Amino acid sequence: MFGPDGGVSNRTGLHLFQILLEVEVAMPRSGVLASATRVEADSGDRELLAHLEATAAAATALLVLRGPDGTDIELPQSLVSLLVAAAHDLAKGNAVFTLPVETRLTPNEAAELLGLSRPFVARLLDEGEIPSQYLPDSRHRLVRLADVLEFQARREHRAEGRRRIMDVAEEADLPY
């Protein structure tokens, strides 16, 4: 059931989450990240979200959306998986952004998302570490969000490997 503020409430009146939109107005081009939907859970909602996550993850969950006219719509499993993943992060107190994976980012937006400097990301693009495409008849380029996320996963995997090597070296009391 929808609450008066646009949030979703259950029958006991608990508020599940609130959707906040953050948009920068001063920019001539609205950035992809600035216009993404940001969802945050209130501190009182985290217990309910943790219960939702545990219930939905325990078995093949069936979630139903009840429309204003009382009709029920069974949500597809792909959307249930998305909601369970979002509930997991929201229950831990993390905010969640929603963006399509095929979103195109500027190098600056990719740098912001990765937490790296724009010149460093430009070098990664030049070296082909992150695929990019130049705009027609321009020296400007765009990067797919999916490619940025793939690069981040590779980077985290390498960092984890280095951490494991360091742990083994420390356990064996080897100099490094």
Side-chain angles (χ1 to χ4, degrees), residues 144-163:
R144 288 179 347 129
L145 175 60
D147 293 330
V148 172
L149 297 175
E150 186 177 308
F151 168 80
Q152 182 65 18
R154 286 193 320 263
R155 185 177 173 165
E156 289 174 1
H157 183 72
R158 286 190 303 261
E160 179 60 29
R162 286 191 296 273
R163 277 192 290 277

Side-chain angles (χ1 to χ4, degrees), residues 35-167:
S35 63
T37 302
R38 178 184 172 103
V39 180
E40 290 186 64
D42 293 334
S43 58
D45 299 335
R46 292 189 186 134
E47 185 177 324
L48 180 61
L49 287 163
H51 178 69
L52 170 69
E53 176 194 10
T55 302
T60 304
L62 171 68
L63 290 180
V64 176
L65 177 67
R66 178 160 293 142
D69 62 352
T71 59
D72 289 346
I73 302 168
E74 184 179 326
L75 299 179
Q77 193 59 42
S78 58
L79 187 53
V80 172
S81 298
L82 174 69
L83 292 173
V84 170
H88 173 77
D89 284 319
L90 290 168
K92 289 183 176 183
N94 298 325
V96 177
F97 274 104
T98 57
L99 283 172
V101 175
E102 292 302 318
T103 298
R104 304 279 180 183
L105 305 171
T106 65
N108 194 47
E109 290 168 333
E112 183 181 337
L113 191 62
L114 292 168
L116 302 172
S117 71
R118 187 198 49 74
F120 183 69
V121 169
R123 192 175 82 205
L124 293 171
L125 298 176
D126 291 340
E127 294 171 353
E129 288 290 321
I130 304 174
S132 64
Q133 289 183 318
Y134 282 94
L135 294 172
D137 301 324
S138 175
R139 55 188 187 96
H140 297 283
R141 52 189 160 186
L142 294 177
V143 183
R144 288 179 347 129
L145 175 60
D147 293 330
V148 172
L149 297 175
E150 186 177 308
F151 168 80
Q152 182 65 18
R154 286 193 320 263
R155 185 177 173 165
E156 289 174 1
H157 183 72
R158 286 190 303 261
E160 179 60 29
R162 286 191 296 273
R163 277 192 290 277
R164 287 182 182 170
I165 291 170
M166 295 286 284
D167 290 345

